[in-house]
Amino acid sequence: MVDNEHAAVPATVRGAGALVAVEGAVAVIVAVVLIARGLLGSDQSVASGYGTAAWFGILGGGVLAAGAGLLLGRRWGRAIAVIAQVLLLPVVWSLLTDSHQPVYGALLGLAAVASLVLLFAPPTTRYMAHAYGADPE
């Protein structure tokens, strides 16, 4: 049985969901790596790997959940996804400038901007407005 609401999910919503889910999954993987490094005796004197892992795990898990929600056509994922992408833009700038990591900055920038474009694309906006009985046109 196909749910009509989910059958009408635009490709822009699913595309944004895929990008956001990948971002969240990467953050969760970073958390796992940081925990593994801490357990294997990596130097924790400069920064707490466990604290950073908790930060990446909690926020990454939320972003991953938002991406999965969008992939499933859930409207609630859009708000979390938009906030995450906006918060990633200063990180992109830092990677491109002060951190001297232009490859990572460019990749993250492309993902964040592409996600924002998809999250605010007209089909996405119409889909989100439909839940409120509004016609944005």
Side-chain angles (χ1 to χ4, degrees):
M1 180 174 181
V2 177
D3 184 9
N4 288 336
E5 181 180 342
H6 293 155
V9 177
T12 55
V13 173
R14 293 194 194 273
L19 286 171
V20 171
V22 167
E23 291 170 356
V26 168
V28 170
I29 290 168
V30 167
V32 170
V33 168
L34 289 171
I35 290 171
R37 285 180 42 145
L39 292 174
L40 294 173
S42 178
D43 181 23
Q44 301 275 320
S45 63
V46 176
S48 170
Y50 296 121
T52 305
W55 187 86
F56 270 92
I58 292 166
L59 293 180
V63 172
L64 178 59
L70 288 170
L71 281 170
L72 296 172
R74 304 288 191 256
R75 290 174 171 87
W76 58 262
R78 184 182 188 214
I80 298 168
V82 168
I83 291 168
Q85 302 319 300
V86 170
L87 290 175
L88 281 175
L89 294 177
V91 175
V92 168
W93 180 256
S94 177
L95 287 170
L96 291 172
T97 58
D98 299 336
S99 297
H100 307 292
Q101 298 289 332
V103 174
Y104 293 128
L107 290 173
L108 184 59
L110 286 172
V113 170
S115 295
L116 284 170
V117 167
L118 291 171
L119 289 166
F120 287 103
T124 302
T125 303
R126 282 191 295 275
Y127 178 72
M128 296 297 166
H130 182 72
Y132 300 102
D135 186 14
E137 295 179 24

